[in-house]
Amino acid sequence: MTAIPRRRTRRAALVGAACALAATGTVLTGCGGEDPDEGTNGVGKLPAAQIQARSRSAAESADTVRLAGNVVAGGRTYKLDMRLKADGASGAVTAAGTTFQLLRVGEELFLKADADFWTGAGGKGDDGDTAAGEKLDGKYVKVPQGDPSYKKFSVFTDMGVLLDGLLTLHGTLETDGRHEQAGLRTVRVTGDAGSGGTLDVSLDGKPYPLRLVRAGGAGTLTFSAWGKDFTLAEPEKDETVDYGKQLPTS
């Protein structure tokens, strides 16, 4: 019988030990298991705090994003579907069962809604009827920068403010496995085991945030179309109404 070289026996024993370790939960290549980080951007190997930091950094470096979902603020739920960039945004906001369109180009903010929206906001004509609401129905109304509504609505169009305020987890950060969002692989980071929110970070391409569940049931949001440019332009004059110095208020 041919003797097996001692070095080969020792090497086989080491490989066997490594594969036994893999069976306990540590996945190693070369033992028949798949490396979950193969072909990824590598952030899945990092501690939770570093994953969140890389994700925030990627978001801050992006020129554009599409944000959709629900946000609970001030006891009211807002449904958002906004495309955002540094110098403007366009999209829809739904609150209290009413949907309105927002468009910001530079510093110019426009709001478009139906007559019921304006009538409900107190839009009465001089004759006491709903003439103002009918005038504004389906038109882009230019929001004066000095009007209280400008600050209220422009926050939904400010990419920097929205991302800074939303991409926050509370409490002790931990990772919570690998998941998938819109066909992309993600690693999930939780705050206080989920009670402080959860954030799914892309493992494909840049480590962009893809899904956020806010703490305290304050809404769930998805992020997509990172870095995909889109055109912003002020509406045509025949689509626009300049209401004046102040909009109707509720």
Side-chain angles (χ1 to χ4, degrees):
M1 179 179 296
T2 304
I4 300 176
R6 184 174 299 176
R7 283 181 299 177
R8 186 180 302 174
T9 303
R10 185 178 300 167
R11 184 168 61 247
L14 290 173
V15 171
C19 290
L21 177 62
T24 68
T26 304
V27 179
L28 301 174
T29 57
C31 300
E34 295 183 0
D35 181 359
D37 292 302
E38 183 177 356
T40 73
N41 53 31
V43 297
K45 300 177 180 180
L46 301 176
Q50 290 187 33
I51 296 173
Q52 184 192 32
R54 293 280 185 92
S55 178
R56 180 176 284 273
S57 179
E60 291 174 348
S61 69
D63 295 325
T64 63
V65 66
R66 181 175 182 177
L67 183 155
N70 298 316
V71 173
V72 180
R76 177 175 289 186
T77 299
Y78 297 91
K79 181 180 179 181
L80 310 179
D81 188 357
M82 299 294 302
R83 296 200 69 179
L84 306 159
K85 58 169 55 177
D87 60 349
S90 67
V93 178
T94 301
T98 300
T99 299
F100 53 92
Q101 306 288 322
L102 288 175
L103 170 65
R104 182 172 65 83
V105 183
E107 297 300 318
E108 303 296 342
L109 178 66
F110 302 87
L111 188 155
K112 182 169 74 170
D114 61 19
D116 289 341
F117 173 89
W118 295 111
T119 302
K124 300 292 184 179
D126 292 337
D127 57 0
D129 59 16
T130 58
E134 293 173 356
K135 177 184 177 182
L136 304 178
D137 181 30
K139 295 287 188 178
Y140 281 101
V141 178
K142 187 175 181 179
V143 183
Q145 292 188 32
D147 189 279
S149 297
Y150 186 92
K151 183 177 181 180
K152 176 181 178 181
F153 292 128
S154 64
V155 69
F156 294 120
T157 70
D158 193 316
M159 180 175 173
V161 169
L162 279 175
L163 293 182
D164 186 58
L166 293 173
L167 293 177
T168 301
L169 298 176
H170 302 278
T172 303
L173 301 184
E174 297 178 329
T175 55
D176 185 27
R178 308 306 173 89
H179 302 269
E180 184 177 301
Q181 175 64 32
L184 296 175
R185 294 172 291 178
T186 69
V187 58
R188 181 167 295 170
V189 178
T190 67
D192 279 350
S195 63
T198 69
L199 180 67
D200 279 34
V201 177
S202 179
L203 290 171
D204 296 311
K206 291 187 176 181
Y208 290 125
L210 297 182
R211 184 175 183 269
L212 172 72
V213 179
R214 302 182 72 205
T220 299
L221 294 161
T222 61
F223 306 86
S224 61
W226 287 102
K228 294 184 179 179
D229 197 16
F230 61 96
T231 301
L232 284 174
E234 292 190 16
E236 300 293 334
K237 288 187 177 181
D238 61 357
E239 299 178 303
T240 308
V241 174
D242 191 345
Y243 191 83
K245 294 183 179 180
Q246 186 169 349
L247 298 184
T249 56
S250 56

